[in-house]
Amino acid sequence: MYQRYYSRFLAAHQNVLHMAAHSHHFWPDVTREAQIQYWDDSCRMADEKWSYFFTTQVPRTQHHIAKTLNISSPEQIVFAANTHEFVMRLYSCFDLTKKLVVLTTDSEFYSFERQTQRLAESSQLEIIKVPTEPFATFAERFVAASKKHQPQFIFLSHVFFNSGWMCPLDQILPQLSPDTVKVVDAYHSFMAVPFDWSPFEKDIFYLSGSYKYAQGGEGCCFLYVPPKSPLRPAYTGWFAELSNLASKTNEVFYPENGLRFAGSTLDFTSLYRLNAVYDLFEKDQVTLKDQHQFVQSLQKSFLKRLEQSPLLMHLRDRLIFQNWEEQGHFLTFELSSVEETISLVQSLKKQGIWTDSRKNRIRFGFGLYLTEKDFDRWIK
Ligand SMILES: Cc1ncc(COP(=O)(O)O)c(C=O)c1O
């Protein structure tokens, strides 16, 4: 149904069933023209391209993202090459020579997890990690931990990278203290699961990027900065000063909009690609809801197929949860060991089925470029 958008990536992988969209989503054909357009614009405008980017392409991307999230201030969105840059910039808002209590989960992606562990070696960081499982009680346990430990910094995912489980942010976020810096890593829900961010836009940071479900490729990560944020990242670059370059004072100036959290010179190719994807779906009236429904129908038919497949039926009872209301765009199965998991990923790959794993869990992802017919062909 949507395969026509991906003719180039599909042609390059005719002997592959690509079930890793949750990691490396195929790019629609329109991104290729967008990439070339970036080159042409750079050639045509040379030095003047920057003012064009900041007045045209950046606001377009901000507008698209703001529409997806239903937020009212697109100018609060700022871009960086990866989410790690924002993680570090957020940490740099705190005085790490003093005690900093961080509340998080045991299931955050390495860009946060590894950096946090490392900072804890040489600072006064105290890390409280709430296990995501059992999922049914996570919201209650997370909120209780926030009341008990009174953290200054809270960081949690919306859909967890090691399970695909979508936590009930609606039950958690309103109960967190307004005095805490709160960040949601939504990389696995952005442009996958429709979600209205407007109830939280006043005081919660939203972090994501375009490499996965947004399909714009790497290089276009973004942070939504709540308006009137008083934070002053010490890890700052000159883009934050863009509106104030003529200033003669020595004071380090921070703008009120998202640029407050900006770094420095970026390759904007990825914004061009992301805009092209948004324009494509807007033109063809393919909504996020349509995409989500389509992916869920693929997931359901994959599970049915798996039941009858000598190749995969041993995974039948290994699905770590199944609740379509709380499900991201990949299915996760838990095996007995890391070795068994890696060996399954490798043997599937030899047979043309691309998946990936995290510890002893194998993940099957569902991109718009798959069809039920593919499962008939591949899942024997
Ligand atoms: C939940 C989550 N956050 C962030 C990232 C990406 O991090 P970065 O942009 O720092 O590479 C990933 C990548 O897989 C992820 O799963």
Side-chain angles (χ1 to χ4, degrees), residues 67-275:
K67 210 168 145 195
T68 303
L69 300 181
N70 192 30
I71 54 172
S72 52
S73 318
E75 69 282 1
Q76 295 306 125
I77 294 166
V78 58
F79 298 96
N82 49 59
T83 66
H84 172 254
E85 201 179 305
F86 287 126
V87 166
M88 208 45 221
R89 203 156 281 132
L90 284 154
Y91 267 123
S92 80
C93 296
F94 298 97
D95 180 351
L96 295 180
T97 61
K98 299 203 176 116
K99 185 173 165 185
L100 174 67
V101 180
V102 182
L103 176 67
T104 184
T105 76
D106 66 350
S107 301
E108 297 309 319
F109 185 68
Y110 312 109
S111 293
F112 175 81
E113 154 75 19
R114 182 180 148 86
Q115 186 64 71
T116 301
Q117 282 310 132
R118 177 61 185 88
L119 287 175
E121 287 177 17
S122 53
S123 70
Q124 300 295 315
L125 220 70
E126 185 184 328
I127 314 165
I128 317 288
K129 282 188 192 171
V130 179
T132 50
E133 291 175 52
F135 299 131
T137 57
F138 173 74
E140 201 184 306
R141 289 182 289 109
F142 195 81
V143 171
S146 81
K147 297 209 162 113
K148 180 171 168 203
H149 298 283
Q150 309 213 328
Q152 291 114 298
F153 186 28
I154 295 181
F155 189 102
L156 83 161
S157 289
H158 187 192
V159 169
F160 293 96
F161 83 106
N162 57 0
S163 63
W165 181 61
M166 180 165 61
C167 74
L169 288 181
D170 295 336
Q171 291 170 32
I172 299 170
L173 300 182
Q175 303 211 54
L176 303 177
S177 161
D179 304 325
T180 306
V181 175
K182 300 173 285 293
V183 182
V184 171
D185 179 346
Y187 218 136
H188 276 292
S189 70
F190 177 64
M191 288 305 285
V193 185
F195 192 76
D196 183 356
W197 193 251
S198 62
F200 312 115
E201 67 180 335
K202 278 209 185 74
D203 80 330
I204 306 189
F205 289 82
Y206 181 103
L207 181 60
S208 191
S210 70
Y211 188 54
K212 302 178 189 296
Y213 318 95
Q215 308 172 38
E218 60 275 19
C220 182
C221 288
F222 67 90
L223 182 71
Y224 168 77
V225 181
K228 304 205 180 90
S229 167
L231 296 180
R232 301 177 80 243
Y235 170 36
T236 185
W238 72 279
F239 274 10
E241 197 88 16
L242 276 176
S243 53
N244 198 37
L245 286 179
S247 166
K248 294 208 170 65
T249 71
N250 282 331
E251 192 195 341
V252 180
F253 165 83
Y254 288 88
E256 300 225 319
N257 62 24
L259 279 179
R260 194 174 190 88
F261 273 79
S264 291
T265 311
L266 261 186
D267 179 348
F268 281 130
T269 322
S270 52
L271 273 76
Y272 273 59
R273 289 194 302 258
L274 182 58
N275 285 338

Side-chain angles (χ1 to χ4, degrees), residues 27-44:
W27 299 358
D29 300 339
V30 290
T31 57
R32 188 166 185 276
E33 281 84 64
Q35 178 122 0
I36 295 166
Q37 185 68 48
Y38 180 83
W39 199 97
D40 287 346
D41 284 354
S42 295
C43 172
R44 191 165 51 87

